[in-house]
Amino acid sequence: MNIHEYQAKELLHGFGVPIPNGKIATTPAEAEAIAKEFGVAVMVKAQVHAGGRGKAGGVKFCKTPADAREKATAILGMQIKGLTVEKVLVTVAADIGSEAYVGIIVDRQRKKPVFMVSAAGGIDIEQVAAQTPEKILYLPVDTRYGLRGYEAMRMGFFLYRDVKLAKQAAKIMQQLYSAFMASGCSLAEINPLVATPAGELIAVDGKMVIDDNELDRHAEIEALRDVSSEAASEVDARNCNLTFIKLDGNVGCVVNGAGLAMATMDLVKYYGGEPANFLDIGGSSNPEKVVNALRIITADANVKCILFNIFGGITRTDDVANGIVTATKANPLKVPIVIRLTGTNEEIAMKILTDNGFSASADMDEAVKKAVATAKGGKAA
Amino acid sequence: MNIHEYQAKELLHGFGVPIPNGKIATTPAEAEAIAKEFGVAVMVKAQVHAGGRGKAGGVKFCKTPADAREKATAILGMQIKGLTVEKVLVTVAADIGSEAYVGIIVDRQRKKPVFMVSAAGGIDIEQVAAQTPEKILYLPVDTRYGLRGYEAMRMGFFLYRDVKLAKQAAKIMQQLYSAFMASGCSLAEINPLVATPAGELIAVDGKMVIDDNELDRHAEIEALRDVSSEAASEVDARNCNLTFIKLDGNVGCVVNGAGLAMATMDLVKYYGGEPANFLDIGGSSNPEKVVNALRIITADANVKCILFNIFGGITRTDDVANGIVTATKANPLKVPIVIRLTGTNEEIAMKILTDNGFSASADMDEAVKKAVATAKGGKAA
Amino acid sequence: MSIFINKDTKLVVQGITGRDGSFHTKQAIEYGTNVVAGVTPGKGRQTFEGAVPIFNNVYDAVAKTGANTSVIYVPPMGAADAIMEAVDAGIALVVCITEGVPVLDMTKVYPFVKERGARLVGPNCPGVISPAQAKVGIIPGRICIPGPVGVVSRSGTLTYEVVYQLTRAGIGQTTCVGIGGDPINGTNFIDCLSAFEKDPSTKAVALMGEIGGTDEQEAADFVKNHMTKPVVGFIAGQTAPPGRRMGHAGAIISGSAGTAAEKVEAFKAAGIGVAVRPMDFVELIRAKLH
Amino acid sequence: MSIFINKDTKLVVQGITGRDGSFHTKQAIEYGTNVVAGVTPGKGRQTFEGAVPIFNNVYDAVAKTGANTSVIYVPPMGAADAIMEAVDAGIALVVCITEGVPVLDMTKVYPFVKERGARLVGPNCPGVISPAQAKVGIIPGRICIPGPVGVVSRSGTLTYEVVYQLTRAGIGQTTCVGIGGDPINGTNFIDCLSAFEKDPSTKAVALMGEIGGTDEQEAADFVKNHMTKPVVGFIAGQTAPPGRRMGHAGAIISGSAGTAAEKVEAFKAAGIGVAVRPMDFVELIRAKLH
């Protein structure tokens, strides 16, 4: 789960990380009032779940309150990577001496959270990584022992030669690590970590991504979710425990398991079709999930044919069959459906479908071919 | 460092452990008022750093407020193992269904904190351990991973067959472990952990011992220290960073290092003398420590001779010599002194002593023999 | 022969009385797996289906039944604890089916399991099956037959698909292992390839990978340098849209690695046969076997 | 020959600029120890006494100087961290002099050091000296001479006492090790006895124990079953008053073990010569050497 910059910074601040003063505005007038209150130059920053805000014009420096109003007017309502900006963070503009990058992410290879720090911070950090990898220090943390003091100091000295700055940085590493672990993060970043000319460190931007699997333990984090900044169909799918990503094709796919879902999409493409979506109904199944999946897919007017590809393991195919029958009784389908079912309780599922006038096959290749043909203009039973 | 039962229980309660309602009284009238406020039968319990309070008559059941006043009158001012009772805990008497023992201690052999739990709780738990060891479950905790849920449940089921009680107990184990780790304990005990007839668990008595080495990190725990319940000379010694235990002999010993201090006492005894104390001036030395050591030892009227046995490693013998000179200039000694010094900066130390009219030897055996003889009636230079 | 599980497997089911646990335990028993015990705290001294004794914890189950393998169907927040309990109780192979285990939990579970020399398969995996010998997890028994092919896969249902096609073509399996697709899992491709290489009954290996990470590339290296047996591979996600990248850190740590094209290249460079469609496994494997 | 340290020891001093660190580093250098580096965060690029380069951390010290042994003089709250840093940086032998290290810190340090196959001596110990070769810690160099006796002790100054008496009697030492008296320490009697048994120069061992715990009894068992070389032992605290017991738990876990009498009995049963007074070592060891 993504949270906004201002939320991430507040969380980090709760663990002691120094951040510039800031408040949220949803109107230009609010932005102006906040800038007036602060009485210094501010940044107005779009709060959306998308990278590259700065390059898209969503982050602006404002010398005066009137300036803040004007910039907020431009940014609020702006579209960034398909998402509408509904809030801006108005925050005191820091005096910038130098900018460092500090990130922590769970690394598959090392099977640990890994810190990445670089004195060459800012928006071009990926280029630094690609072109001058020696400018990045990678430091894996053994979570059994936590981040040890000497590791934090090592990062501090990698970023700053000055011992006072190095010690401040080491402290921030500990605070960032605590926030990362306590909030169940898969990613936390401070970029830039600014050293002011006065010798103070301050987190000018912050980003946190929460492991969805942790949310059951962290009601306070789940409460930070901002559904207004996500695509409605994806919010709907998530509320139904489905993984859904909208695409541009016309074959609506309902599959169980991410691997099989991807293989199904690959096969649709292989046979000349275009998938309309990725949709994984997941493991443990119930008929309700299928009803929701059909509702979400049929909301897409591009879909010309619906393809079910279900291979039952922990998913019971009879649950899926019951879901199809229930959903189509309540809302008769306007597009043809091709069903492929095999595995757990396959015989029961086939009987349910046949009894209700559906046909189904047990062969994936055959079903995909048929769905592609149907979407191109043919018709399924 | 020891803390009182009421302090330990408040600490445990802060981590969620259920405890009976209770308040501290320093006068019988207060005890009566508290009992009246609670409106139920209470226990009046002496708060003193000594085991065996119950057997010494320091813990009493009181049906009425008048009863509480009477029992408090008897207990306040009572001596238990040489310590005067200055406070009593007046606490709601729990309804007792069964009594379990739960303790956690750092174990040298396993190099881990080890839980010990037994359904046969109460004051005779050592007998249970000696006679029916199978009634105690030992569970070492790997602090890298913390107390895991299944370990806590295993202890819960060892204590209670009923799943509800087992789960309550498991939760209390987690809370106790958290309190143990967060407070820097070397010991924490709940004894008895009472199961009420209504099926609730409650910690009726609690004990915590804090690792002195942790106190620098735990100002809030250091603040719980009750110097009124410790021997004045030991409080004085601790404040001076000295380890001091008073004994009954007449040879006052000032030694650096616990092993050498014990070996010195052994040798005093071997040559027919009796040590007046154990006193370790520890590692890193400064003259101040010696001044304080002399003050504490000379306060004991039994002391007939003072024996210094210093073997300098990290302790510098010149620091010790300077301390002796300074202390005796300020407060001339009334008893003879025998000095043995060798090791780091020995030549400088010898010169300091000689210049100030002291004699000193480098041989332990000789010095001990001389001190014993002096204490018996001879005289040192 | 087979890898990881066989006729000597003595299985304890953690979470045996839950919805998934009870359903799949029945299936495992029907399949002929030696299910010796179940664990559900508070249900000790009961029995499952009148046949399998239930214990309050894995220690008791191991002490009383000699269980050597465990399968886990407990809810995600308790899965890490269940894995560590099994390993602590002396179980040598733990198969964790549970989906949704927090990845930070796994950062502690992984070294815990390694320290004790046990093997974990999963979490978030379909488990292991050695056809006609034992089934530990949720891979449907009826889609497998005994034979010479070792199967290893990061995905669940895609594994079933391929195994089913092999079976329909009369090509049986020594063992099928679903290693799971979570960021941190206990057993990787190389562990399985190495075991298949050593298993005398396995004559060829089918490997199903996915986009993301570099496990497939490392597997390809292993095949190139350490395997004598033929391997056929597949990568799912050729047409998947690029996932939303995770901050700068995600980009830095993975670099350009993880695309399907790159993985297919690595396979080819290692001499691994590449199945374009799942059904292609049949002909490719058949050719390798002859 | 010797154990743990010798002419090849390349020492890094953690906390080299502190009061104790600087004092004892000078002594170590005077003794002829090869002190290659010091560590004090923030003082990197300076030098100690114009001769020893100082680094901000142990990694840099190891990378630049090839240090293989570390000695720690940092304050107690930072000692656990310093030990782990040294081990992480690849140091094989870490000697921690610091007194007052919280014991719960050590419950994590101990497995950390073991996991990485390093050796920790201490904390709260006087260190190690191999006379005429190297001195790591605070054992005064002038009280030692080279010779055939291995010395191991739980206490600091008592060790000096015994070593000094041996030296005055002309009996030299291979290595003297103070293992420290803290509840959890990195190296115990058995580790040292085992090393002395293997060291060809060591002909006899002097062992100084104390009341409390059961380390001496275990050492006696080891001597009985695994040592061919003669051992002479001493137990301090024969006349010490019983310590205040630590709750019921303290009584349960230690039972009746730990008295001086019991330990002396264990020594006698294992054929260990028992010194009644520290000075008795001289005659007992002399007899064993001839």
Side-chain angles (χ1 to χ4, degrees):
Chain A
M1 183 183 98
N2 283 296
I3 60 175
H4 287 300
E5 174 198 0
Y6 78 94
Q7 295 169 324
K9 277 155 79 177
E10 276 168 21
L11 256 174
L12 291 172
H13 190 57
F15 285 85
V17 176
I19 60 169
N21 208 352
K23 286 188 180 174
I24 283 293
T26 55
T27 65
E30 276 174 25
E32 184 176 10
I34 296 166
K36 196 171 285 170
E37 181 195 333
F38 289 162
V40 291
V42 298
M43 303 296 294
V44 172
K45 307 176 82 177
Q47 299 296 292
V48 283
H49 295 330
R53 291 175 308 169
K55 286 174 185 165
V59 178
K60 295 286 181 193
F61 175 78
C62 316
K63 272 208 152 156
T64 64
D67 196 11
R69 181 190 196 105
E70 192 183 309
K71 301 282 168 54
T73 307
I75 294 172
L76 285 163
M78 172 188 273
Q79 295 271 320
I80 300 180
K81 296 194 181 161
L83 297 166
T84 307
V85 178
E86 309 206 339
K87 292 176 195 164
V88 292
L89 171 63
V90 183
T91 179
V92 169
D95 241 8
I96 295 179
S98 70
E99 295 188 323
Y101 170 85
V102 178
I104 175 167
I105 191 169
V106 178
D107 180 26
R108 298 177 77 105
Q109 300 312 115
R110 298 182 180 89
K111 301 182 194 294
K112 287 174 181 152
V114 176
F115 270 92
M116 284 169 278
V117 303
S118 175
I123 54 173
D124 293 325
I125 183 70
E126 288 98 326
Q127 273 187 32
V128 173
Q131 290 161 14
T132 47
E134 72 281 2
K135 287 192 180 165
I136 298 187
L137 174 67
Y138 294 80
L139 194 138
V141 182
D142 188 332
T143 57
R144 296 174 302 164
Y145 299 100
L147 178 65
R148 282 150 280 159
Y150 66 89
E151 294 174 326
M153 272 308 288
R154 205 173 153 210
M155 292 191 277
F157 276 117
F158 185 81
L159 295 181
Y160 306 104
R161 202 171 160 141
D162 175 68
V163 63
K164 276 190 195 158
L165 285 174
K167 282 186 178 168
Q168 273 186 68
K171 201 167 163 192
I172 289 173
M173 301 300 166
Q174 292 286 10
Q175 293 161 338
L176 177 63
Y177 178 75
S178 298
F180 180 91
M181 294 301 291
S183 314
C185 288
S186 26
L187 166 85
E189 275 181 345
I190 298 174
N191 184 31
L193 176 66
V194 162
T196 66
E200 299 293 327
L201 293 184
I202 189 160
V204 162
D205 199 350
K207 182 175 176 62
M208 287 173 105
V209 179
I210 314 297
D211 178 358
D212 290 335
N213 294 342
E214 295 263 7
L215 292 172
D216 278 355
R217 312 185 158 132
H218 295 291
E220 77 291 358
I221 307 263
E222 173 72 54
L224 299 178
R225 192 190 288 282
D226 179 4
V227 292
S228 76
S229 68
E230 297 175 79
S233 59
E234 293 182 17
V235 173
D236 187 3
R238 189 185 52 245
N239 289 338
C240 305
N241 280 313
L242 303 170
T243 311
F244 173 78
I245 299 169
K246 205 193 139 353
L247 300 171
D248 298 326
N250 59 10
V251 179
C253 302
V254 182
V255 191
N256 65 324
L260 188 60
M262 288 193 287
T264 304
M265 290 158 67
D266 291 351
L267 207 59
V268 164
K269 189 115 179 176
Y270 181 84
Y271 285 121
E274 285 292 341
N277 63 278
F278 170 96
L279 194 157
D280 174 11
I281 63 168
S284 282
S285 62
N286 57 53
E288 197 68 20
K289 274 195 179 180
V290 177
V291 172
N292 291 320
L294 275 171
R295 177 170 47 73
I296 289 163
I297 286 198
T298 52
D300 178 357
N302 291 340
V303 170
K304 297 288 176 256
C305 176
I306 296 167
L307 167 64
F308 270 76
N309 185 13
I310 304 296
F311 207 120
I314 206 161
T315 304
R316 304 192 200 164
T317 57
D318 54 327
D319 279 347
V320 175
N322 278 323
I324 294 172
V325 171
T326 309
T328 51
K329 266 190 188 144
N331 295 295
L333 285 177
K334 298 195 181 68
V335 291
I337 182 167
V338 175
I339 304 169
R340 185 279 177 125
L341 284 176
T342 192
T344 307
N345 293 0
E346 173 180 336
E347 297 78 7
I348 307 172
M350 287 297 185
K351 184 163 178 349
I352 293 166
L353 290 173
T354 315
D355 288 356
N356 286 278
F358 291 93
S359 73
S361 119
D363 186 282
M364 172 173 168
D365 217 60
E366 193 179 286
V368 171
K369 269 190 223 165
K370 188 170 165 188
V372 170
T374 305
K376 282 189 174 160
K379 251 208 173 291
Chain B
M1 182 182 98
N2 284 296
I3 59 175
H4 287 299
E5 173 198 0
Y6 80 94
Q7 296 169 323
K9 278 156 79 177
E10 276 168 20
L11 256 173
L12 291 172
H13 190 56
F15 285 85
V17 175
I19 60 168
N21 207 352
K23 287 188 179 174
I24 284 293
T26 55
T27 64
E30 276 174 25
E32 183 177 12
I34 296 166
K36 198 172 282 171
E37 179 194 333
F38 290 161
V40 292
V42 297
M43 302 296 294
V44 172
K45 307 175 82 176
Q47 300 297 292
V48 55
H49 294 330
R53 291 175 307 171
K55 287 175 183 163
V59 178
K60 294 286 183 192
F61 176 78
C62 315
K63 271 208 152 158
T64 64
D67 196 11
R69 181 189 195 105
E70 191 183 309
K71 300 282 168 55
T73 307
I75 294 171
L76 284 163
M78 171 188 272
Q79 295 272 322
I80 301 180
K81 296 193 180 161
L83 297 167
T84 306
V85 179
E86 308 206 340
K87 292 176 195 163
V88 291
L89 171 63
V90 182
T91 179
V92 169
D95 241 9
I96 295 178
S98 68
E99 296 188 323
Y101 170 85
V102 179
I104 175 168
I105 191 168
V106 177
D107 180 27
R108 299 178 77 105
Q109 301 310 116
R110 297 180 180 92
K111 301 183 194 295
K112 286 174 182 152
V114 176
F115 270 93
M116 285 169 276
V117 303
S118 175
I123 53 174
D124 294 326
I125 183 69
E126 287 98 326
Q127 272 189 33
V128 173
Q131 290 161 14
T132 49
E134 72 282 1
K135 287 193 179 165
I136 297 186
L137 174 67
Y138 294 80
L139 194 137
V141 181
D142 188 331
T143 57
R144 297 174 301 164
Y145 299 100
L147 177 64
R148 282 151 281 159
Y150 66 90
E151 294 173 327
M153 272 307 289
R154 205 174 153 210
M155 291 190 277
F157 276 117
F158 185 81
L159 295 180
Y160 306 103
R161 202 169 162 145
D162 175 67
V163 64
K164 276 188 195 160
L165 285 174
K167 281 184 178 170
Q168 274 186 68
K171 203 167 163 191
I172 289 173
M173 301 300 166
Q174 293 285 9
Q175 294 161 337
L176 176 63
Y177 178 74
S178 298
F180 180 89
M181 295 300 291
S183 313
C185 288
S186 26
L187 166 85
E189 275 181 345
I190 298 174
N191 184 31
L193 175 67
V194 162
T196 66
E200 299 294 328
L201 294 184
I202 189 160
V204 163
D205 200 349
K207 181 175 177 63
M208 288 172 104
V209 179
I210 314 298
D211 179 358
D212 291 334
N213 294 342
E214 296 264 5
L215 293 172
D216 277 354
R217 301 185 168 136
H218 296 290
E220 78 290 357
I221 308 260
E222 173 73 53
L224 298 179
R225 192 190 286 284
D226 180 4
V227 292
S228 75
S229 68
E230 299 175 77
S233 60
E234 294 184 14
V235 174
D236 187 3
R238 189 183 53 245
N239 289 338
C240 305
N241 280 314
L242 302 170
T243 311
F244 174 78
I245 299 170
K246 205 194 142 349
L247 299 172
D248 299 327
N250 58 9
V251 179
C253 302
V254 182
V255 190
N256 65 323
L260 188 60
M262 287 192 289
T264 304
M265 290 157 67
D266 292 350
L267 206 60
V268 165
K269 188 116 181 176
Y270 181 85
Y271 284 120
E274 285 292 341
N277 64 277
F278 171 98
L279 194 156
D280 175 10
I281 64 168
S284 283
S285 61
N286 58 52
E288 198 69 18
K289 275 196 179 178
V290 177
V291 173
N292 290 320
L294 274 171
R295 176 170 46 74
I296 289 163
I297 286 198
T298 51
D300 179 356
N302 291 341
V303 170
K304 297 286 176 259
C305 176
I306 296 168
L307 167 64
F308 270 75
N309 185 13
I310 305 295
F311 207 121
I314 207 160
T315 302
R316 304 193 201 164
T317 58
D318 55 327
D319 280 346
V320 175
N322 278 322
I324 293 172
V325 170
T326 309
T328 52
K329 265 187 190 148
N331 296 294
L333 284 176
K334 300 198 177 65
V335 292
I337 183 168
V338 177
I339 304 170
R340 185 277 176 126
L341 284 176
T342 192
T344 308
N345 292 359
E346 173 180 335
E347 296 77 9
I348 307 172
M350 287 297 185
K351 182 161 181 349
I352 293 167
L353 290 173
T354 315
D355 288 355
N356 285 277
F358 292 91
S359 72
S361 119
D363 186 284
M364 171 172 169
D365 217 60
E366 193 180 285
V368 171
K369 269 191 222 164
K370 187 169 166 190
V372 169
T374 307
K376 282 190 172 157
K379 251 207 172 290
Chain C
M1 289 286 284
S2 58
I3 69 168
F4 302 164
I5 62 169
N6 55 39
K7 280 281 171 208
D8 299 326
T9 294
K10 296 171 88 174
L11 187 66
V12 50
V13 180
Q14 293 176 256
I16 195 169
T17 55
R19 187 182 194 264
D20 293 334
S22 60
F23 180 82
H24 289 288
T25 301
K26 277 178 229 163
Q27 301 238 321
I29 293 170
E30 269 171 38
Y31 195 73
T33 311
N34 187 13
V35 179
V36 297
V39 169
T40 298
K43 300 203 174 165
R45 287 177 289 268
Q46 301 182 12
T47 59
F48 175 77
E49 298 276 303
V52 179
I54 303 179
F55 298 89
N56 282 333
N57 60 57
V58 184
Y59 289 90
D60 292 349
V62 169
K64 298 283 166 54
T65 69
N68 56 21
T69 300
S70 152
V71 63
I72 293 176
Y73 295 104
V74 308
M77 294 303 142
D81 198 63
I83 296 168
M84 295 200 277
E85 177 178 6
V87 170
D88 235 4
I91 295 287
L93 172 68
V94 180
V95 178
C96 182
I97 307 304
T98 308
E99 185 184 344
V101 181
V103 67
L104 291 178
D105 288 9
M106 289 304 300
T107 64
K108 288 196 175 178
V109 168
Y110 187 82
F112 188 94
V113 172
K114 286 280 163 202
E115 248 175 24
R116 285 155 182 80
R119 171 173 302 289
L120 167 68
V121 176
N124 188 18
C125 82
V128 187
I129 186 166
S130 292
Q133 298 192 70
K135 163 177 147 75
V136 175
I138 65 176
I139 300 179
R142 65 169 193 84
I143 65 171
C144 305
I145 54 172
V149 180
V151 177
V152 57
S153 170
R154 251 167 86 177
S155 85
T157 46
L158 177 59
T159 319
Y160 311 164
E161 189 65 52
V162 171
V163 170
Y164 184 49
Q165 302 207 7
L166 289 174
T167 293
R168 284 205 303 181
I171 302 169
Q173 306 89 37
T174 48
T175 302
C176 307
V177 187
I179 60 173
D182 274 9
I184 299 180
N185 54 20
T187 292
N188 64 17
F189 284 128
I190 293 174
D191 297 325
C192 297
L193 290 170
S194 161
F196 282 131
E197 176 69 14
K198 285 181 203 132
D199 173 42
S201 321
T202 300
K203 305 297 179 203
V205 177
L207 182 155
M208 281 134 266
E210 288 180 9
I211 51 171
T214 56
D215 284 5
E216 288 79 3
Q217 291 89 316
E218 284 148 30
D221 270 357
F222 181 84
V223 169
K224 196 170 169 183
N225 298 318
H226 303 287
M227 297 269 301
T228 60
K229 297 177 182 178
V231 178
V232 175
F234 174 83
I235 302 292
Q238 317 257 354
T239 61
R244 290 181 200 142
R245 71 167 198 181
M246 207 192 264
H248 295 284
I252 296 172
I253 204 129
S254 58
S256 67
T259 65
E262 185 185 312
K263 288 171 191 250
V264 167
E265 268 326 296
F267 280 0
K268 286 182 181 160
I272 296 175
V274 176
V276 178
R277 302 170 300 171
M279 65 184 304
D280 295 339
F281 271 103
V282 173
E283 289 316 311
L284 288 167
I285 290 275
R286 203 196 303 275
K288 303 281 189 188
L289 289 174
H290 294 296
Chain D
M1 290 285 286
S2 57
I3 68 169
F4 302 165
I5 62 169
N6 55 40
K7 279 281 171 208
D8 299 326
T9 293
K10 296 171 86 175
L11 187 66
V12 51
V13 180
Q14 293 176 255
I16 195 169
T17 55
R19 185 181 196 267
D20 293 333
S22 60
F23 180 82
H24 290 287
T25 301
K26 277 178 229 163
Q27 302 239 320
I29 293 171
E30 269 172 37
Y31 195 72
T33 312
N34 187 11
V35 179
V36 297
V39 169
T40 298
K43 301 203 173 165
R45 288 178 289 267
Q46 301 182 12
T47 58
F48 175 78
E49 299 275 303
V52 179
I54 303 179
F55 299 89
N56 281 333
N57 59 57
V58 184
Y59 291 89
D60 291 349
V62 169
K64 298 283 165 55
T65 68
N68 56 20
T69 300
S70 153
V71 63
I72 293 175
Y73 295 103
V74 309
M77 294 303 143
D81 198 63
I83 296 168
M84 296 200 277
E85 177 178 5
V87 171
D88 236 5
I91 295 288
L93 171 68
V94 180
V95 178
C96 182
I97 308 302
T98 308
E99 185 182 346
V101 181
V103 67
L104 291 179
D105 288 9
M106 289 304 300
T107 64
K108 289 194 174 179
V109 168
Y110 187 81
F112 189 93
V113 173
K114 287 280 163 201
E115 248 173 26
R116 284 154 181 80
R119 170 172 302 290
L120 167 68
V121 176
N124 188 18
C125 80
V128 187
I129 187 166
S130 292
Q133 298 192 69
K135 161 176 149 78
V136 176
I138 64 176
I139 300 179
R142 64 168 194 84
I143 65 171
C144 305
I145 54 172
V149 180
V151 177
V152 57
S153 170
R154 253 168 84 176
S155 86
T157 46
L158 177 59
T159 318
Y160 310 163
E161 189 65 52
V162 171
V163 170
Y164 184 51
Q165 302 207 6
L166 290 173
T167 293
R168 286 205 302 182
I171 303 170
Q173 307 89 38
T174 49
T175 302
C176 307
V177 187
I179 60 174
D182 273 10
I184 299 179
N185 55 18
T187 292
N188 63 18
F189 283 128
I190 293 174
D191 297 324
C192 297
L193 290 170
S194 163
F196 283 132
E197 176 70 15
K198 285 182 203 130
D199 173 41
S201 321
T202 301
K203 305 298 179 202
V205 178
L207 183 154
M208 281 133 265
E210 288 179 8
I211 50 171
T214 56
D215 283 6
E216 289 78 3
Q217 292 90 316
E218 284 147 32
D221 270 356
F222 181 84
V223 169
K224 195 169 169 183
N225 298 318
H226 303 287
M227 296 266 306
T228 60
K229 298 178 181 176
V231 179
V232 174
F234 174 84
I235 300 293
Q238 316 256 357
T239 60
R244 289 179 203 145
R245 71 168 196 182
M246 208 193 265
H248 295 285
I252 296 171
I253 204 130
S254 58
S256 66
T259 65
E262 187 184 313
K263 288 171 191 249
V264 167
E265 268 325 297
F267 280 0
K268 287 183 182 161
I272 296 176
V274 176
V276 177
R277 301 171 300 171
M279 64 183 306
D280 296 338
F281 271 103
V282 173
E283 290 315 314
L284 288 168
I285 291 274
R286 203 195 303 274
K288 302 280 186 185
L289 289 175
H290 295 294

